[in-house]
C-alpha cells in the first residue's frame, strides 16, 4: 500500500525539516496527554475551591491594594444605601499547585486543558474519520461511475459547499441540539489504575469516571466536511479508472466493488491521508468555535473555557488565554505534520477547509 | 489619536443606516414601513438620518423653549434589547425597563417599593361586590396629544387579561384574579375580580401599562411593536431594532418634566463589554456588573458601583415526584451539603444574600425566625445514607448568563454536592429558552428533575412567589404538599394578621421540607457614571425619571 | 465557449444550488424540535387560540404546501415573518447585511494588502530572516482560532492599552454615505475615522487567517514559479531581476492564489459570523446566532438563505473573473 519510495520521501522530508520533527513531537505529546489524562492531570478538572478562584499562573503574582467591600455573613454591607468598603491589600500568589492558575470557580486550569484535549482530539479524529468514510465512498463512486450518479452526488456536494462550514454547523447544531451525547467510561479510572498510580505518586484522587463525547458535534462536523474528501477521491477515481490495470480487472470480470476497494482505493490513499491530517486541524478549530458559541455538550472543552474566560478579560486574562494557546499549539503541530506529509507525498493537494 | 468615547454617542443617533437599509429592503420586497420611525409629535428630526449633526451632543428639536431644564443625555446599557415595543407583549425585565419610561400604570411604586398614585389618584374596593374602583387623574395626555380617559384604562386591562381582546398577552397572570374592567364614567374605571384577590392593588402597582384604545385599535400588532404612545415622561424618538431605543423628554407630562432630556437604551450581552463601555465613557449606566469587576469600576475616576438587594430569588428546584428527590431527607441533605456563605461571598463577591425560605426579607409573609441552612457536609452525608439513595448520580440543569453568575453558582453547587462521598453531581448547561419551554408546559413531567432558576417578584408579595413556584397547581411548580396548599388557600382568603401568619407558616414548612436547594437573593449591581445622580431600586427597574445631573 | 454561455451555465448551476440551499434550510426547520407556536404564545393560553396561531403561521398545512409557500415567496423577497418580533425577516436581514459586508471587505483588504507583499518577500528571501518570520507568522495564523484572537486583541489592545473600543459599531458605511449625500462632509469624515477606529480590531481578527493563508500560498506559488525554466531564460536574456519577478512571476503566481482565495471565501464568511459574535458587531452572523438561540426559525432560515446565496453569487463572480483573467484557461 505504501510504496518504499514514499517512505524514503517521508524520511527525507523529516531529516531536512526541523519543523516537521517539531510537529510530530507536539502531536504525539498532545495525544499522550489526552489518552493518559487521569494519570497526568494534577487535579480533577471539576474540583473547585471558591476561596482560590482566579489565581494567576506561575510567574505572575499580583498584589493590589484597593477598596474592597466589607462582608458580613457572605453579603456586602450597606450603610445609608452605600456599600461599605475598606482598603485591603490582596495578594494573589501563583503556586506550583496550580501552575497555570485557576478559573472563576477555583478549578485548576492545567487539568482542564489536559481533559479538554480529549474532547478536541476525539472530535477531531472521529469527525475526520467519519467525514473520510462518507466522503471517500461518495467520491469514489461518483468518479468511477460518472454519468448521472456523478452528477447527483456532486450537485449535492455543491449545495453543501454553498454554506460556509461554520454557518452550516451552527444551523445543524441549533436544530439537532445535544441529542447524541455519549458518555464513554474511562478505562484508567474504571480499572482502578488511575487511583493506584495517583495515590502512589501523591496526587489527589477521584478522577472523572467517564468522558462525555459530544456525538452531535461529531456528526455535524463530518456532515460539513465530507465534501473535501469526496472531491479528492473523485479526482483520483476519475484518473485511475483509465489505468490499464483497472481496465484489465474489469475485462477479467472483477466486480466493481472489488475494483474500487483493491485497485482504486490504495492508490488514492496518499492524497486522502494528507487531506485527512489537514482536516483534523480544521475540525479541531471548528469544534472549538462551536463550543465557544455554547453549542457543545462536552463538560470540559477548550472552546467553552475561552467563552467562560471572557468575563474575566480585565481581571484574570489567563482563564481565556490558556485554552487558546493549547488550541494554537495543537493545531500548529498538526499543520506541521500535514505540511511534511504533503511535501513528501504529493505536492499538488490544495483545499484547506478552515474555520 | 484616541478619540473620546463620546464620539460614539454622537453617531449613535444617526438614522441613516436604517434609511438606506430600508430602501434596500424595499428592493427585497415587502411594503411595510421602515423600522426607524419618527413619533407623531413632529419632532422635526426628518426621516433620513438628519437626526443630529453630532459634535455638540444633541439637538434642540424636541425640547424647544424650555429654558429651565437643559440638555442632559443619558445612555443605559442592559444585557438585552427589547424584542419589541408593545408593553403588553413581553415578560423580560430589560424590556420592562424601557417600557416604564413611556408607559405608566394606574399605581406605581417609589424606590422603597411603596405604592404611589400614578394614573389613578385613588383606589378602593367596592362594597359588596368583587370589584375595585380606580379614580383616574385628569388632564393627562398621551404622547400623541389625546386625553387619557377611563375607556383607555379599561381597554388596557382587558387587553392583558382577556385573550379575546387584542391578542393573548403573556402578562395575563401578572393580573391574576382580575377578570375584566369597564369604564364607569370619564374618570372612573371598575375592575372585576375573581374572588377576594387581596393583592389586587399590589398587582396594579407593579403591572399593567396603560395604552390608548383608539391608537391600539388603529394599528396592526407589528406596528404597535415598533412605536410607542404612552403617558410617561419620555416619548419615542427613534427605534433601531436590536440596537437602540432613543427616547426624548415629553414636555407635556402630567407631572414635572424629567431632568433627562434624551435617554438611549443599548445592550451588550457580555458583562465585560458593558464594563469597558462604562469606563470608556460610552455609556452612563450598566446592569449586572459581575463581582470581579466591582473594584475596577470603583477604582476608576469616572464611575462607581451601586447595588441594592433585588426582588429576585435564585434557587434549585428538585422535583418531588422523582427519585432521589422524592425523599425529604435527600433534599435536606442537598441543602446541608453546600456552603452557601462561601458561594455568596466568593462567587458573588458578597453581592447577594443567603436565603432559607421562598420569601425574601423585604416581602410580605417573610418568616424572621427561619434561618438559611448551615453548611454541614457530615450531616448531609448522613441524611443521604438515611434516605436510601446513596450512590446516586444527579445532574443540575442551568441556564448560562441569564442571571448573575448562574453557571458559576450551579458549578459551585454541583461541586459541593459532588464532594459528598455518596453522591455524584454534574452540571448540564441549557439554553434558557428551551429550559423555560420545558418549565412552562404545565406538566411536571416535562421539567428536568433538578434545575436552577430565578424568580423576580416585583410586587413584593411572598404569596405570589409561593403560589407560582411551590403550590400543586402553580405554573412553575416542582412540589406538591397538602398542608402547604391549604396554608396558601387560607392566606388567599384572609387579610392582615391571619394572612401574615399563614404565609409565615408556609415559609417555615417550605424550609423544613426543602423542595428547593435555597440559594441566594440576587443583588442588582449597577455601574453608574459620575455624571449621573441616581439610586438603584430594589425591583430591578431603572427609572431615568429619577435621574439628575451630578453637580 | 463565450463569456455569455459560461455565465449562463454558471448561473444555472448557481440557481440549482440556491434551490438546494432553500430546500435544505426548509428541511432544517422541519426536523427542528419544539413547537414554534410556543415561541409566540404564553403557556396558559387556550387551545383555540393556539390553533388559530398555528393556522396563521401556516403550520397546519401539509408539508409540500408549506414548502411551496416558502419557496415561492423567495424570488419576491418574502422570507417570512420573525416569530419574536413580528416584523419582516427581509427587513432585519437587509439592515444587517451592510455591517457584515463592511467586515468582510475590510478583512479581505487587510489580508491582501499584507499577505501578498509578505509572501513575495518571503519567497525572494528564502531561508533568511524575513522568510522565517513570515513562515512562522503564517503558520500560527492559520492555526489560531479567530474568536480567541479577537478576545486576546480586546484584552491587550482595548482593555489594557485603551487603544481601541472593545466592541459594537458606532456608525456604518451607509450612514456615512448618507452624510456625504447631504453634503455634511466634515461630519462624514469624522464618521469615517470613527468607523475605522471601531472596525480595526474586528477586521484584524477576521483577516488574520486569510492573511496567513494567502501568505503561504503566495510564498509557495512564487517559489514554484521562480524555479521554472522561463524564469531562468528571462534572466539569461538579461532582463532586470525586478521585471522578472514582478511582471511575470508575480502575475503567474497570483492566478492560482486568487482561485484558492475564491474557494476560501466561505471560510471568511464563516469567520465573520464568529467575529461578529465576539465583537457584538451587528451583522448577519449575529442575527443568525441570536435567532437560533431564540428559536426564531423564519429568521434563521432567512439569514441562512441570504448568507448562502451571497456566497454562491460571489463564487460565480470569482469564477468568471478568474477564467476571464487567466489567459491559459478558456471559458469551457
Amino acid at each position: 500500500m505504501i510504496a518504499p519510495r514514499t517512505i524514503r520521501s517521508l524520511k527525507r522530508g523529516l531529516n531536512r525539516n526541523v519543523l516537521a520533527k517539531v510537529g510530530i513531537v507536539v502531536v504525539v505529546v498532545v495525544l499522550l496527554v489526552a489518552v493518559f489524562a487521569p494519570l497526568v492531570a494534577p487535579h480533577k478538572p471539576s474540583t473547585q475551591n471558591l476561596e482560590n478562584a482566579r489565581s494567576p499562573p506561575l510567574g505572575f503574582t499580583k498584589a493590589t491594594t484597593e477598596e474592597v467591600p466589607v462582608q458580613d455573613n457572605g453579603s456586602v454591607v450597606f450603610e445609608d444605601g452605600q456599600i461599605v468598603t475598606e482598603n485591603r491589600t490582596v495578594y494573589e500568589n501563583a503556586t506550583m499547585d496550580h501552575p497555570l492558575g485557576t478559573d472563576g470557580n477555583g478549578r485548576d486550569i492545567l487539568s482542564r486543558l489536559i481533559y479538554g484535549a480529549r474532547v478536541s482530539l476525539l472530535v477531531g479524529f472521529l469527525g475526520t474519520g467519519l467525514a473520510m468514510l462518507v466522503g471517500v465512498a461518495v467520491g469514489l463512486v461518483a468518479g468511477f461511475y460518472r454519468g448521472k450518479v456523478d452528477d447527483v452526488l456532486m450537485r449535492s456536494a455543491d449545495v453543501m459547499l454553498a454554506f460556509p462550514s461554520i454557518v452550516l454547523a451552527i444551523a445543524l447544531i441549533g436544530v439537532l441540539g445535544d441529542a447524541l451525547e455519549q458518555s464513554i467510561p474511562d478505562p484508567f479510572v474504571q480499572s482502578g489504575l488511575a487511583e493506584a498510580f495517583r495515590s502512589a505518586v501523591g496526587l489527589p484522587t477521584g478522577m472523572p469516571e467517564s468522558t462525555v463525547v459530544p456525538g452531535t458535534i461529531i456528526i455535524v462536523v463530518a456532515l460539513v466536511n465530507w465534501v473535501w474528501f469526496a472531491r479528492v477521491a473523485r479526482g483520483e477515481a476519475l484518473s485511475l479508472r483509465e489505468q490499464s490495470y483497472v481496465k484489465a480487472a474489469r475485462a477479467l470480470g472483477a466486480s466493481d466493488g472489488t475494483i474500487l476497494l483493491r485497485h482504486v482505493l490504495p492508490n488514492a490513499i496518499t492524497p486522502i491521508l494528507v487531506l485527512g491530517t489537514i482536516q483534523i486541524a480544521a475540525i479541531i478549530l471548528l469544534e472549538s468555535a462551536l463550543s465557544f458559541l455554547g453549542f457543545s455538550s462536552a463538560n470540559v472543552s477548550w472552546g467553552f473555557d475561552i467563552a467562560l474566560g471572557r468575563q474575566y478579560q480585565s481581571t484574570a486574562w489567563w482563564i481565556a488565554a490558556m485554552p487558546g494557546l493549547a488550541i494554537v499549539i495543537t493545531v500548529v503541530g498538526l499543520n506541521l505534520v500535514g505540511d511534511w506529509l504533503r511535501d513528501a507525498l504529493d505536492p499538488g493537494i490544495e483545499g484547506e477547509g478552515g474555520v | 489619536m484616541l478619540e473620546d468615547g463620546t464620539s460614539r454617542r454622537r453617531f449613535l443617533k444617526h438614522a441613516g443606516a436604517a434609511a438606506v437599509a430600508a430602501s434596500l429592503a424595499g428592493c427585497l420586497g415587502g411594503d411595510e414601513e421602515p423600522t426607524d420611525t419618527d413619533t407623531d409629535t413632529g419632532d422635526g428630526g426628518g426621516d433620513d438620518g438628519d437626526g443630529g449633526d453630532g459634535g455638540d451632543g444633541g439637538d434642540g428639536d424636541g425640547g424647544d423653549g424650555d429654558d429651565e431644564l437643559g440638555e442632559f443625555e443619558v445612555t443605559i446599557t442592559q444585557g438585552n434589547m427589547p424584542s419589541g415595543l408593545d408593553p403588553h407583549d413581553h415578560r423580560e425585565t430589560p424590556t420592562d425597563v424601557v417600557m416604564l419610561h413611556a408607559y405608566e400604570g394606574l399605581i406605581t411604586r417609589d424606590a422603597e417599593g411603596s405604592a404611589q398614585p400614578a394614573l389613578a389618584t385613588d383606589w378602593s374596593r367596592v362594597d359588596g361586590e368583587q370589584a375595585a374602583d380606580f379614580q383616574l387623574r385628569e388632564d393627562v395626555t398621551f404622547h400623541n396629544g389625546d386625553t387619557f380617559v377611563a375607556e383607555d384604562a379599561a381597554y388596557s386591562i382587558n387587553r392583558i387579561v382577556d385573550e379575546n381582546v387584542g391578542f393573548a398577552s403573556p402578562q395575563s397572570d401578572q393580573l391574576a384574579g382580575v377578570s375584566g374592567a369597564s369604564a364607569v364614567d370619564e374618570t372612573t374605571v371598575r375592575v372585576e375580580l375573581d374572588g377576594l384577590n387581596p393583592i389586587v392593588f399590589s398587582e396594579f402597582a407593579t403591572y399593567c401599562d396603560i395604552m390608548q384604545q383608539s391608537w391600539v385599535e388603529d394599528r396592526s400588532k407589528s406596528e404597535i411593536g415598533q412605536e410607542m404612545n404612552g403617558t410617561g415622561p419620555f416619548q419615542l424618538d427613534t427605534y433601531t431594532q436590536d440596537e437602540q431605543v432613543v427616547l426624548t423628554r415629553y414636555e407635556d407630562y402630567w407631572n414635572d418634566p424629567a431632568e433627562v432630556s434624551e435617554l438611549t437604551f443599548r445592550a451588550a450581552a457580555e458583562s465585560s463589554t458593558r464594563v469597558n463601555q462604562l469606563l470608556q465613557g460610552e455609556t452612563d449606566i450598566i446592569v449586572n456588573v459581575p463581582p470581579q469587576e466591582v473594584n475596577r469600576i470603583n477604582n476608576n475616576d469616572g464611575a462607581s458601583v451601586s447595588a441594592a438587594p433585588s426582588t429576585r430569588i435564585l434557587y434549585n428546584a428538585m422535583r418531588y415526584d422523582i427519585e432521589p428527590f422524592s425523599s425529604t431527607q435527600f433534599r435536606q441533605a442537598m441543602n446541608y451539603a453546600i456552603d452557601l456563605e462561601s458561594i455568596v461571598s466568593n462567587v458573588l463577591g458578597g453581592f447577594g444574600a443567603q436565603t432559607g425560605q421562598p420569601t425574601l426579607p423585604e416581602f410580605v409573609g417573610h418568616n424572621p425566625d427561619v434561618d438559611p441552612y448551615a453548611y454541614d457536609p457530615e450531616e448531609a452525608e448522613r441524611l443521604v445514607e438515611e434516605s436510601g439513595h446513596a450512590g446516586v448520580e444527579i445532574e443540575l440543569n442551568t441556564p448560562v448568563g441569564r442571571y448573575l453568575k448562574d453557571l458559576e453558582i450551579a458549578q459551585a453547587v454541583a461541586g459541593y454536592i459532588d464532594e459528598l462521598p455518596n453522591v455524584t453531581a454534574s452540571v448540564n448547561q441549557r439554553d434558557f429558552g428551551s429550559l423555560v419551554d420545558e418549565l412552562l408546559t404545565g406538566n411536571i413531567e416535562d421539567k428536568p428533575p433538578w434545575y436552577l432558576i430565578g424568580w423576580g417578584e416585583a410586587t413584593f408579595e411572598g404569596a405570589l412567589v409561593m403560589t407560582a413556584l411551590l403550590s400543586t397547581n402553580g405554573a412553575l411548580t416542582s412540589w406538591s404538599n397538602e398542608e402547604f396548599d391549604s396554608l396558601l388557600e387560607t392566606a388567599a382568603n384572609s387579610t392582615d394578621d391571619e394572612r401574615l401568619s399563614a404565609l409565615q407558616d408556609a415559609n417555615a414548612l417550605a424550609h423544613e421540607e426543602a423542595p428547593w436547594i435555597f440559594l441566594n437573593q440576587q443583588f442588582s449591581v449597577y455601574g453608574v457614571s459620575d455624571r449621573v445622580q441616581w439610586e438603584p431600586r430594589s425591583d430591578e427597574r431603572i427609572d431615568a425619571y429619577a435621574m439628575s445631573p451630578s453637580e | 465557449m463565450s463569456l455569455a454561455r459560461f455565465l449562463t451555465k454558471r448561473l444555472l448551476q448557481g440557481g440549482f444550488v440556491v434551490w438546494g440551499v432553500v430546500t435544505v434550510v426548509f428541511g432544517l426547520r422541519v426536523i427542528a424540535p419544539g413547537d414554534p407556536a410556543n415561541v409566540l404564545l404564553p403557556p396558559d393560553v387556550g387551545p383555540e387560540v393556539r390553533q388559530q396561531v398555528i393556522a396563521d403561521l401556516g403550520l397546519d398545512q401539509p408539508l409540500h404546501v408549506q414548502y411551496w409557500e416558502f419557496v415561492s415567496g423567495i424570488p419576491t423577497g418574502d422570507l417570512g415573518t420573525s416569530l419574536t418580533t413580528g416584523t419582516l425577516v427581509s427587513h432585519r436581514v437587509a439592515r444587517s447585511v451592510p455591517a457584515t459586508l463592511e467586515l468582510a471587505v475590510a478583512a479581505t483588504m487587510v489580508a491582501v494588502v499584507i499577505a501578498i507583499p509578505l509572501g513575495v518577500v518571503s519567497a525572494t528571501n528564502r531561508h533568511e530572516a524575513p522568510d522565517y518570520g513570515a513562515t512562522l507568522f503564517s503558520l500560527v495564523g492559520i492555526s489560531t482560532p479567530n474568536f480567541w484572537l479577537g478576545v486576546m486583541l480586546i484584552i491587550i489592545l482595548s482593555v489594557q492599552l485603551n487603544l481601541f473600543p472593545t466592541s459594537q459599531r458606532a456608525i456604518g458605511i451607509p450612514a456615512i454615505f448618507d452624510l456625504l449625500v447631504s453634503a455634511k462632509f466634515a461630519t462624514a469624515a469624522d464618521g469615517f475615522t470613527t468607523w475605522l477606529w471601531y472596525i480595526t480590531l474586528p477586521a484584524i481578527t477576521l483577516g488574520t487567517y486569510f492573511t496567513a493563508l494567502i501568505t503561504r500560498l503566495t510564498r509557495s506559488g512564487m517559489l514554484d514559479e521562480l524555479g521554472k525554466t522561463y524564469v531562468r531564460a528571462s534572466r539569461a536574456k538579461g532582463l532586470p531581476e525586478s521585471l522578472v519577478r514582478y511582471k511575470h512571476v508575480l502575475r503567474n503566481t497570483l492566478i492560482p492564489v486568487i482561485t484558492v482565495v475564491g474557494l476560501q471565501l466561505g471560510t471568511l464568511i464563516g469567520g465573520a459570523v464568529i467575529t461578529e459574535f465576539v465583537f457584538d458587531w451587528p451583522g448577519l452572523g449575529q442575527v443568525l446566532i441570536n435567532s437560533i438561540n431564540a428559536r426564531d426559525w423564519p429568521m434563521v432560515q432567512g439569514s441562512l438563505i441570504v448568507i448562502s446565496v451571497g456566497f454562491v453569487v460571489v463564487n460565480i463572480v470569482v469564477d468568471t473573473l478568474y477564467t476571464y483573467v487567466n489567459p491559459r484557461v478558456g471559458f469551457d
Side-chain angles (χ1 to χ4, degrees), chain B residues 156-170:
Chain B
S156 302
I157 296 170
N158 289 324
R159 188 168 185 257
I160 291 178
V161 300
D162 190 342
E163 52 195 42
N164 294 315
V165 173
F167 72 115
S169 163

Side-chain angles (χ1 to χ4, degrees), chain C residues 160-321:
Chain C
Q160 295 297 338
L161 298 179
N162 227 347
L163 289 174
F164 294 98
T166 49
S167 64
Q168 302 191 338
R169 168 183 178 254
I171 186 172
I173 295 289
I176 297 178
F177 185 70
D178 266 1
L179 287 172
L180 283 176
V181 160
S182 1
K184 298 201 178 105
F185 296 118
T187 321
D190 203 8
F192 187 68
T193 34
T194 305
W195 178 80
L196 275 180
W197 190 47
Y198 274 85
I199 204 172
T200 305
L201 289 188
I204 295 179
T205 302
L206 182 56
T208 299
Y209 181 86
F210 234 41
T211 310
L213 185 66
I214 299 178
T215 307
R216 263 162 79 99
L217 290 174
T218 308
R219 177 181 178 275
S220 63
M222 194 152 181
L223 284 175
D224 277 349
E225 285 295 310
L226 284 173
K228 290 198 175 153
T229 33
Y230 78 89
V231 173
R232 269 178 266 150
S234 305
R235 286 195 185 124
K237 271 200 271 180
L239 283 178
E241 184 67 15
S242 53
L243 192 64
V244 170
R245 281 185 197 173
Y246 298 115
K247 188 160 176 217
H248 300 290
V249 173
L250 192 55
R251 196 180 66 191
N252 290 336
T253 309
L254 286 183
I255 292 167
V257 168
I258 292 177
T259 330
V260 179
V261 166
L263 282 178
Q264 289 297 307
L265 278 175
T267 311
L268 189 70
I269 296 179
V273 169
I274 305 179
T275 309
E276 287 178 17
F277 181 77
V278 172
F279 287 93
D280 217 356
W281 190 261
L284 207 44
Q286 238 204 21
V287 171
L288 177 65
I289 295 182
N290 289 338
S291 51
I292 286 186
N293 283 328
R295 305 231 169 332
D296 186 358
W297 298 118
M299 193 67 83
V300 173
Q301 290 171 319
S303 23
L304 276 178
I305 290 174
V306 170
I307 292 177
S308 312
V309 168
F311 183 44
V312 167
V313 166
V314 169
N315 274 341
I316 294 182
V317 168
V318 167
D319 249 2
T320 313
L321 277 178

Side-chain angles (χ1 to χ4, degrees), chain A:
Chain A
M1 260 218 333
I2 304 198
R5 177 176 58 94
T6 314
I7 298 192
R8 274 204 304 278
S9 176
L10 282 171
K11 281 203 180 141
R12 205 176 33 228
L14 196 52
N15 286 330
R16 277 203 208 149
N17 191 352
V18 70
L19 285 180
K21 290 186 198 148
V22 169
I24 294 184
V25 167
V26 166
V27 172
V28 166
V29 166
V30 174
L31 256 171
L32 288 177
V33 161
V35 167
F36 292 105
L39 302 177
V40 175
H43 297 268
K44 188 174 169 189
S46 54
T47 305
Q48 65 186 11
N49 182 355
L50 299 183
E51 320 279 332
N52 194 27
R54 298 185 305 279
S55 130
L58 283 181
F60 298 86
T61 295
K62 299 200 308 184
T64 41
T65 306
E66 26 181 47
E67 295 261 343
V68 172
V70 170
Q71 285 183 9
D72 173 37
N73 243 353
S75 304
V76 299
V77 176
F78 291 91
E79 222 175 67
D80 296 333
Q82 301 281 31
I83 306 171
V84 177
T85 59
E86 59 182 6
N87 255 321
R88 249 190 13 198
T89 305
V90 177
Y91 282 103
E92 284 171 18
N93 274 318
T95 58
M96 266 309 289
D97 206 26
H98 299 287
L100 292 184
T102 60
D103 72 358
N105 273 35
R107 299 177 297 196
D108 178 42
I109 290 184
L110 179 57
S111 307
R112 289 184 71 81
L113 289 188
I114 291 175
Y115 270 85
R118 287 194 153 183
V119 174
S120 292
L121 290 183
L122 265 173
V123 174
F125 281 98
L126 289 181
T128 306
L130 191 54
M132 196 186 284
L133 213 58
V134 172
V136 168
V138 168
L140 283 181
V141 166
F144 194 71
Y145 287 109
R146 305 197 68 176
K148 281 236 164 57
V149 171
D150 184 17
D151 268 345
V152 166
L153 288 173
M154 286 302 112
R155 288 288 155 262
S156 333
D158 279 346
V159 170
M160 297 298 282
L161 281 179
F163 298 92
S165 45
I166 182 104
V167 169
L168 184 58
I170 291 175
L172 283 171
I173 294 225
V175 162
L176 295 173
D178 52 10
L180 293 166
E181 190 181 293
Q182 280 297 327
S183 237
I184 299 187
D186 184 334
F188 292 110
V189 179
Q190 301 279 1
S191 65
L193 191 61
E195 306 299 293
F197 176 75
R198 293 179 76 87
S199 327
V201 175
L203 289 173
T205 56
M207 303 309 275
E209 311 225 326
S210 54
T211 309
V212 172
V213 174
T216 322
I217 298 220
I218 293 180
I219 307 262
V220 166
V221 301
L223 268 177
V224 161
N225 274 2
W226 67 268
V227 184
W228 303 99
F229 289 101
R231 286 204 159 170
V232 169
R234 174 177 180 273
E236 291 297 314
L238 276 178
S239 65
L240 286 171
R241 78 200 291 274
E242 305 302 326
Q243 299 282 347
S244 45
Y245 60 86
V246 171
K247 290 188 171 165
R250 284 189 117 163
L252 282 176
S255 79
D256 286 341
T258 321
I259 298 180
L260 276 177
L261 280 176
R262 297 179 75 208
H263 298 288
V264 178
L265 184 57
N267 290 301
I269 271 271
T270 324
I272 290 175
L273 278 181
V274 173
L275 184 62
T277 325
I278 300 174
Q279 285 296 310
I280 297 181
I283 285 185
I284 290 183
L285 286 175
L286 182 58
E287 183 274 331
S288 68
L290 291 172
S291 357
F292 176 76
L293 294 173
F295 290 127
S296 169
S297 55
N299 44 17
V300 184
S301 133
W302 286 340
F304 194 66
D305 279 358
I306 298 179
L308 285 180
R310 277 186 83 186
Q311 58 178 309
Y312 302 104
Q313 64 190 23
S314 43
T315 46
W317 56 267
W318 54 91
I319 303 180
M322 295 301 169
L325 282 176
I327 298 177
V328 172
I329 292 174
T330 308
V331 174
V332 163
L334 283 167
N335 274 321
L336 286 176
V337 171
D339 279 352
W340 165 59
L341 286 178
R342 182 180 52 213
D343 288 341
L345 299 180
D346 193 334
I349 298 293
E350 292 168 359
E352 313 169 25
V355 171

Side-chain angles (χ1 to χ4, degrees), chain B residues 33-231:
Chain B
E33 316 144 55
T35 53
D36 166 38
T37 53
D38 269 322
T39 59
D40 317 357
T41 51
D43 218 357
D47 45 352
D48 279 305
D50 231 354
D53 255 22
D56 37 45
D59 54 337
D61 284 4
D64 276 329
D66 195 330
D67 20 31
E68 291 156 5
L69 293 171
E71 302 294 328
F72 179 45
E73 292 157 23
V74 170
T75 304
I76 298 178
T77 303
Q78 302 193 91
N80 302 99
M81 287 302 290
S83 55
L85 299 181
D86 185 340
H88 296 162
D89 193 15
H90 71 87
R91 285 303 293 257
E92 298 103 39
T93 308
T95 312
D96 202 19
V97 169
V98 176
M99 295 300 127
L100 65 89
H101 292 92
Y103 291 99
E104 303 176 288
L106 295 176
I107 312 175
T108 188
R109 287 184 194 274
D110 60 20
E112 282 79 48
S114 323
Q116 300 292 335
L119 290 181
T121 50
D122 204 4
W123 50 91
S124 54
R125 291 180 184 282
V126 178
D127 280 333
E129 286 185 38
Q130 292 183 344
D133 277 351
F134 291 79
Q135 293 303 320
L136 303 178
R137 191 180 298 273
E138 304 185 32
D139 294 324
V140 176
T141 50
F142 287 96
H143 299 149
N144 63 1
D146 295 343
T147 312
F148 163 58
V149 293
E151 275 85 20
D152 295 320
Y155 179 77
S156 302
I157 296 170
N158 289 324
R159 188 168 185 257
I160 291 178
V161 300
D162 190 342
E163 52 195 42
N164 294 315
V165 173
F167 72 115
S169 163
Q171 295 174 353
S172 53
D173 64 305
Q174 288 176 345
L175 294 183
V178 171
S179 51
S182 53
V184 171
D185 56 47
E186 279 281 303
T187 54
T188 315
V189 67
R190 174 159 299 183
V191 175
E192 312 292 333
L193 306 173
D194 286 336
L196 184 58
N197 199 345
I199 54 172
V200 58
F201 298 119
S202 257
E203 292 176 332
F204 277 98
T206 307
Y207 302 119
C208 187
D209 290 329
I210 301 298
M211 305 178 79
Q212 184 187 24
Q213 178 173 9
S214 55
W215 187 84
V216 171
E217 288 179 330
D218 270 348
R219 283 162 175 73
S220 71
K221 181 112 181 346
S222 74
E223 281 169 333
I224 298 175
Q226 304 290 321
E227 301 167 35
M228 299 174 105
N229 179 39
T231 59

Side-chain angles (χ1 to χ4, degrees), chain B residues 56 68 75 118 201 206 208 266 282 289 391 400 467 497 513 550:
Chain B
D56 37 45
E68 291 156 5
T75 304
F201 298 119
T206 307
C208 187
R266 297 185 60 87
E282 289 177 23
V289 175
V400 178
T467 309
D497 287 336
E513 293 291 308
S550 308

Side-chain angles (χ1 to χ4, degrees), chain B residues 111-418:
Chain B
E112 282 79 48
S114 323
Q116 300 292 335
L119 290 181
T121 50
D122 204 4
W123 50 91
S124 54
R125 291 180 184 282
V126 178
D127 280 333
E129 286 185 38
Q130 292 183 344
D133 277 351
F134 291 79
Q135 293 303 320
L136 303 178
R137 191 180 298 273
E138 304 185 32
D139 294 324
V140 176
T141 50
F142 287 96
H143 299 149
N144 63 1
D146 295 343
T147 312
F148 163 58
V149 293
E151 275 85 20
D152 295 320
Y155 179 77
S156 302
I157 296 170
N158 289 324
R159 188 168 185 257
I160 291 178
V161 300
D162 190 342
E163 52 195 42
N164 294 315
V165 173
F167 72 115
S169 163
Q171 295 174 353
S172 53
D173 64 305
Q174 288 176 345
L175 294 183
V178 171
S179 51
S182 53
V184 171
D185 56 47
E186 279 281 303
T187 54
T188 315
V189 67
R190 174 159 299 183
V191 175
E192 312 292 333
L193 306 173
D194 286 336
L196 184 58
N197 199 345
I199 54 172
V200 58
F201 298 119
S202 257
E203 292 176 332
F204 277 98
T206 307
Y207 302 119
C208 187
D209 290 329
I210 301 298
M211 305 178 79
Q212 184 187 24
Q213 178 173 9
S214 55
W215 187 84
V216 171
E217 288 179 330
D218 270 348
R219 283 162 175 73
S220 71
K221 181 112 181 346
S222 74
E223 281 169 333
I224 298 175
Q226 304 290 321
E227 301 167 35
M228 299 174 105
N229 179 39
T231 59
F234 295 92
Q235 59 192 342
L236 179 67
D237 181 78
T238 55
Y239 175 44
T240 312
Q241 191 154 40
D242 293 324
E243 273 185 51
Q244 62 175 2
V245 181
V246 182
L247 305 167
T248 49
R249 180 198 291 142
Y250 178 48
E251 301 295 338
D252 295 325
Y253 184 50
W254 57 265
N255 205 343
D256 293 330
E259 288 185 63
V260 175
S261 61
E262 189 181 272
L263 182 61
T264 303
F265 285 95
R266 297 185 60 87
E270 193 50 54
S271 58
S272 46
T273 304
R274 294 196 291 274
V275 173
N276 289 325
Q277 287 183 359
L278 177 70
L279 295 180
Q280 288 179 351
E282 289 177 23
T283 187
D284 297 304
I285 301 204
I286 58 174
V287 303
N288 284 345
V289 175
Q292 68 267 14
E293 304 271 22
V294 165
N295 294 333
R296 195 159 83 99
I297 296 177
N298 275 333
N299 291 330
N300 179 292
D301 273 334
S304 58
V305 167
S306 284
S310 88
T311 51
R312 187 175 297 272
I313 187 172
L314 243 63
Y315 62 96
N316 279 167
M318 297 181 279
R319 265 177 62 187
Y320 82 106
D321 62 324
I322 208 176
E323 293 197 340
F325 303 113
S326 41
S327 149
T328 308
Q329 287 142 324
F330 189 82
R331 297 196 305 263
Q332 290 169 339
M334 295 297 96
N335 274 286
Y336 282 113
I338 64 171
D339 187 351
L340 188 54
E341 180 174 339
S342 174
I343 291 180
V344 171
S345 170
N346 291 308
V347 177
L348 294 172
F351 288 94
Q354 303 179 53
T355 60
Q357 59 186 284
T359 301
L360 293 175
E362 297 83 5
F363 283 26
V364 173
H366 174 82
N367 187 329
D369 300 321
V370 170
D371 289 326
Y373 274 87
Y375 174 47
D376 195 342
E378 280 146 18
E379 177 70 2
E381 188 183 341
R382 188 188 71 77
L383 284 169
V384 169
E385 282 300 328
E386 237 183 66
S387 74
H389 293 294
V392 71
E393 276 186 38
I394 49 180
E395 187 183 66
L396 177 58
N397 281 253
T398 179
V400 178
R402 174 80 180 105
Y403 310 105
L404 187 62
K405 296 298 206 175
D406 47 17
L407 179 59
E408 284 78 6
I409 294 176
Q411 286 172 335
V413 167
Y416 278 118
I417 293 177
D418 201 48

